[in-house]
């Protein structure tokens, strides 16, 4: 990759993504394949006044060897020092960048039980850390750069080099690094997202009704005090940051026990190196009562079975079918991109920041207000070209929100 573009992208992450503050520590979790990009971020972070940049390297092929060959009981353990690593930096007020670039089919030969055990052990150990992130106590940003294995999955007919190049091109476009001044482009983009966010907040809908020809017919109640968010977010101290780059969504949370009907997925879901495809879920009073997947049924079963909260939803996000990532017409097999190309919902934990005063309230209060809690938060895509969403106001009027896959207002 052209070093000028790489630096331009890295600068965008440091300035607009985490909005690094003078004297702040930065923790970067990155696959070893993405080292050139991660080093560029580190260098710019120091130039911008970072106190320290801590590199948390990941090697997914080593992780795969461990999943295939280690004794099974090891996956119930999560090392204390790793828990301490994340928590201590979080408590110090560090910023966190994660580079998400896994091979979508990395773990297909691994027994799903092993992966799920490891997932559960890690989310249990990192619960406090994750809660801090989901309440915006620290600034954080998830970004991506291509790896060979991932690029080959997205563009199977190309050589590895050509596939990487094509994936780079697509990614740079989605994060606006192809534009002359990406920082300014993001300012404009934030304003654009704010329009839909303001419309949805002003209407204070009681319920949303989703319908499409795939068979989705789902009613989602929204809790009192829910807030639609989009684009940038803020820490309690008022530091603005962008948690996902790219981001095209306007999102809030559902009322935990207020979801009824059926929803059908519209894109494959890459969950921990396994694909779940063509699945449907049926809800009653918020809980998933029935589910089936054409591919990845066992993985879906483990995901839903993680804990009580993983049987319920934690996010409602709107993305127009006619939007830049969706129009690129690329299936990325990476949730960071696919969720921003489609309306989506999430299994599990809701973001406390999506309800008024939520980030200052304890678990019990949030539960009473209808905010779901779980060890997992996993987005899945439901948007289609013919999706309609009707909003029902507090006084029972209906307002068209989505028509033929796009915002109707
Ligand atoms: Zn989302
Ligand atoms: Zn989500």
């Amino acid at each position: 990759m052209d070093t000028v573009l790489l630096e331009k992208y890295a600068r965008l992450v440091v300035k607009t993504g985490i909005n690094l503050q003078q004297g702040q520590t930065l923790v970067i979790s990155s696959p070893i394949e993405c080292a050139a990009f991660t080093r560029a971020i580190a260098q710019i972070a120091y130039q911008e006044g970072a106190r320290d940049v801590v590199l948390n390297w990941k090697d997914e092929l080593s992780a795969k060897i461990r999943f295939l060959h280690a004794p099974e009981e090891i996956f119930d353990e999560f090392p204390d020092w790793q828990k301490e690593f994340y928590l201590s930096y979080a408590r110090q007020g560090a910023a966190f960048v994660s580079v998400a670039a896994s091979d979508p089919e990395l773990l297909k030969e691994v027994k799903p039980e092993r992966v799920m055990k490891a997932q559960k052990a890690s989310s249990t150990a990192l619960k406090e850390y994750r809660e801090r992130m989901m309440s915006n106590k620290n600034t954080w940003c998830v970004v991506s750069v291509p790896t060979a294995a991932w690029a080959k999955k997205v563009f199977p007919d190309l050589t590895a080099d050509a596939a990487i190049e094509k994936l780079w091109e697509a990614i740079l476009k989605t994060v606006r690094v192809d534009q002359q001044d990406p920082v300014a482009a993001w300012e404009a983009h934030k304003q654009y997202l704010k329009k839909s966010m303001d419309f949805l907040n002003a209407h204070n809908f009681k319920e949303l009704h989703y319908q499409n020809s795939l068979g989705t017919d789902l009613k989602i109640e929204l809790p009192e005090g829910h807030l639609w968010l989009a684009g940038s977010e803020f820490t309690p101290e008022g530091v603005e940051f962008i948690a996902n780059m790219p981001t095209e969504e306007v999102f809030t949370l559902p009322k935990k026990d207020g979801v009824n009907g059926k929803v059908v997925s519209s894109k494959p879901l890459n969950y921990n190196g396994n694909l779940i495809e063509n699945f449907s879920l049926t809800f009653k009073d918020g809980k998933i009562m029935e589910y089936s997947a054409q591919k990845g049924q066992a993985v879906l079963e483990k995901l839903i079975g993680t804990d009580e909260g993983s049987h319920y939803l934690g996010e409602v996000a709107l993305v127009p079918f006619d939007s830049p990532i969706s129009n690129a017409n690329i299936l990325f097999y990476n949730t960071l991109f696919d969720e921003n190309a489609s309306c989506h919902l999430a299994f599990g934990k809701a973001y406390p920041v999506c309800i008024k005063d939520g980030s200052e309230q304890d678990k019990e209060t949030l539960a009473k207000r209808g905010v779901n809690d779980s060890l997992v938060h996993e987005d899945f895509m439901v948007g289609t070209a013919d999706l309609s969403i009707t909003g029902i106001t507090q006084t029972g009027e209906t307002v068209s929100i989505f028509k033929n896959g796009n915002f109707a207002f």
Side-chain angles (χ1 to χ4, degrees), residues 244 249-251 315-317 319 339-340 344-346 351 377 379:
N244 284 188
E249 61 175 334
V250 184
F251 67 101
E315 182 184 343
V316 177
V319 181
E339 68 157 314
N340 281 305
H344 56 273
L345 302 166
Y351 286 93
H377 173 98
D379 291 354

Side-chain angles (χ1 to χ4, degrees), residues 89-284:
Y89 283 116
R91 287 182 183 144
Q92 281 175 35
F96 291 84
V97 167
S98 304
V99 182
S102 62
D103 172 357
E105 301 209 88
L106 178 77
L107 300 180
K108 67 177 176 196
E109 296 121 60
V110 176
K111 278 203 256 152
E113 300 84 71
R114 297 184 147 232
V115 184
M116 297 310 294
K117 273 188 179 187
Q119 170 70 22
K120 196 163 182 174
S122 103
S123 26
T124 306
L126 299 180
K127 194 155 200 287
E128 187 183 336
Y129 163 76
R130 292 200 346 130
E131 257 156 24
R132 288 187 65 102
M133 297 303 131
M134 289 179 81
S135 307
N136 295 343
K137 298 252 168 26
N138 295 73
T139 55
W140 54 282
C141 182
V142 185
V143 288
S144 263
V145 289
T147 61
W150 174 28
K152 277 292 286 176
K153 174 72 188 172
V154 180
F155 302 110
D157 301 334
L158 300 181
T159 63
D161 284 350
I164 290 173
E165 196 173 322
K166 195 137 189 223
L167 189 53
W168 258 120
E169 211 177 281
I171 290 176
L172 291 180
K173 204 164 172 202
T174 66
V175 294
R176 298 174 169 77
V177 173
D178 62 330
Q179 300 189 27
Q180 200 173 6
D181 184 349
V183 175
W186 272 87
E187 278 308 315
H189 182 50
K190 280 191 305 197
Q191 292 311 314
Y192 163 78
L193 290 174
K194 194 173 175 299
K195 274 192 230 156
S196 321
M197 180 179 93
D198 289 347
F199 177 91
L200 292 161
N201 280 325
H203 281 80
N204 185 29
F205 290 109
K206 189 175 170 43
E207 190 176 270
L208 308 178
H209 187 186
Y210 287 55
Q211 283 171 302
N212 70 13
S213 61
L214 278 184
T216 292
D217 189 352
L218 186 73
K219 288 180 170 170
I220 301 176
E221 251 184 89
L222 304 177
E224 222 178 290
H226 71 271
L227 299 169
W228 290 91
L229 303 178
S232 61
E233 299 184 41
F234 294 86
T235 66
E237 296 77 29
V239 178
E240 187 177 17
F241 69 100
I242 294 182
N244 284 188
M245 289 185 131
T247 183
E248 300 288 339
E249 61 175 334
V250 184
F251 67 101
T252 188
L253 48 69
K255 186 161 175 278
K256 181 180 176 181
D257 61 2
V259 181
N260 285 285
K262 182 180 171 184
V263 68
V264 182
S265 72
S266 61
K267 285 177 193 279
L269 165 60
N270 170 12
Y271 185 57
N272 293 329
N274 279 286
L275 291 174
I276 310 172
E277 295 182 45
N278 300 322
F279 59 98
S280 68
L281 312 165
T282 306
F283 294 84
K284 185 163 192 311

